Amino acid sequence: ETLDATGQFVLPGAIDVHVHFREPGYTHKEDWETGTAAAAMGGTTTVFEMPNTHPPTRSVVELRQKQEAAKKAYVDFGLYGLLAEDNIDELQGLIDGGVNAFKCFMGNTFGNLPSPSTGAMLEGFEIVARSGLRISLHAETASIMAWRQKRLVEAGRNDPLAHIAARPAVVAAEAVARAAILAEWTGARVHVLHISSALELGPLRDAKARGVDITGGTCPCYLLLDSSDYARLGSVIRVNPPVRDAADSEAIWAALKDGTVDLIETDHAPHTLEEKTKSVIWEADCGFPGVETQMPLMLNQVSKGRMSLEDYVRYSAEAPAKRFGLFPVKGRIAAGAHADIAVVDMARSETIRAAGLQSRGKVTPFEGETVTGIPIHTLVRGRFVQRDRTLVTGAKGHGRQVTDIQKMPTPVLHNQDQTLASVLRGPG
Ligand code: DOR
Ligand code: ZN
Ligand code: ZN
C-alpha cells in the first residue's frame, strides 16, 4: 500500500503525556474508545492516561482494570499510577505490575483525590526514584487553595475571575519549588504538568540548574488564551490551574523557546456541556477536551510564524519521547522508529466545532476558530488509524500499552541510607 504525500509533511505522531480518558467510572464524559479516537483524529499516536478515574489507579488491581478497558484503544498508551497519601505500600506493586509513570495530585481537582502530605510525597519519591519512572505533578498546593476558596465563597464571590483568585500563580510556584527539593533529595525524576504562569518558571529553572531531573509541560490553553477571554467564555474556560494573564502566556512561549518548558501536553479533560456550563462558577467541572485540537491549534501557530515546524516536533514528540523513556532514543526524532506518523497538510484549514469532536466532551474554548495546518492521516506502528480526516474504525483495539520504557540507571540518592524503606528494614 502506498501513500502519496506530495506537498505534505510527514511528522512523528504527537506523544501526549497528559490525558484523562475517564474509564472506568466516568464514561458519560469519555471512554477509551472515544478518547483514543480523538487522539487518532488529532495526529496523536501515544497518550499517557491519568489515574483519577473511579476507582483511581491506586494499586495493581485497578491497573489491571484499566488495561482491560484500554483494549479498545486506537492509539498506543502509557498508564499512570497514582502516588497518594493512602497507597504508598502499593507503589512497588504498581512498578512491578507495569505502570509507565506516576501522577501526584498536590492539589485537589476532578475526582477529589486527597492530596498527599509532604511526608507521604517524600516516601513515595524515595520508592519511585529506584524505578527510574517519572512522577508527573499536578503542582498546586491544596492548603493554600482551600483557604482562599473558603474566603471567596464566604464573600459571595461567584464569577469566573474568582477562580483565578482561588488559585493564583503562587499556589503553583510554591508546589513546584517544594516538589523540586524532594526530587533533588531523593533522585526522583519529576515532570511539572500544565505550567500556567511566569512564576513557576523560576523554581523550575533553578532546579534544572542544580541538576535535578525535572521537566515541564504546558498546554495549548495557556499559550493561546488569557484572562481577557474569561468574559467571552464564562465557565467553559474553567480549568485547573487557571488560564492567567497575557504576560504569563508570553513568558511560557519564551520558556518553550529557551528549553525551560520541555513539551506540549493537553490535559485532555472532557466533561459534558451541562457539567461545564453552570451559573455558579464553583460548580462547573474543570478542564475541556484537548487531544484532538492540539496539533491543529499548534500547527496554526506554525502557519502564523510563531514557531518553526522543527520546534513544534520537538515539543510534541521528541521531548516527551526522551523524557518519558519511550523507545530507544536514537535519532533526533525517536518516535519515528516505530512509524508512528502524522501526515499534515499545512495548506488545509478547518473550523473547530465541539459538536464534531470524537470526544464525548462536546465543549471547547476554541469553538469556531479557523486553524491552518491539519493532520490528514495518522498511523500507529505503520497502520492507519485516521485516513483522509476519517477515523479508521477497523483499527479499534490496535493500540497497545508501551512496554519498552527505557530502563534508566538507578539514580543516586542523596540520602541512600536514610530512606524510610532502608531504615525500616533495620541495620545489617
Ligand atoms: O482542569 C483540570 N481537569 N485539571 C486537572 O488537573 C484535572 C482535570 C480533570 O480530570 O478533569
Ligand atoms: Zn492537573
Ligand atoms: Zn490533568
Side-chain angles (χ1 to χ4, degrees), residues 7-72:
Q8 291 150 3
F9 292 85
V10 179
L11 309 187
I15 298 170
D16 188 345
V17 300
H18 189 172
V19 302
H20 301 265
F21 283 167
R22 310 298 191 203
E23 185 179 6
Y26 307 107
T27 52
H28 68 287
K29 295 175 189 281
E30 195 76 296
D31 65 25
W32 274 89
E33 180 177 346
T34 54
T36 57
M41 289 304 289
T44 293
T45 50
T46 304
V47 292
F48 275 51
E49 204 268 342
M50 288 293 171
N52 59 332
T53 42
H54 190 73
T57 319
R58 62 175 303 283
S59 79
V60 74
V61 174
E62 294 83 21
L63 177 64
R64 295 288 172 256
Q65 238 179 302
K66 192 157 272 189
Q67 285 167 328
E68 198 55 39
K71 285 184 174 162
K72 304 187 281 291

Side-chain angles (χ1 to χ4, degrees), residues 162-182:
H163 177 57
I164 304 186
R167 313 173 92 111
V170 66
V171 164
E174 194 267 354
V176 173
R178 188 156 46 94
I181 198 77
L182 298 183

Side-chain angles (χ1 to χ4, degrees), residues 18 103 138 194 240 267:
H18 189 172
K103 169 71 178 280
H138 179 107
H194 47 42
N240 297 330
D267 197 2

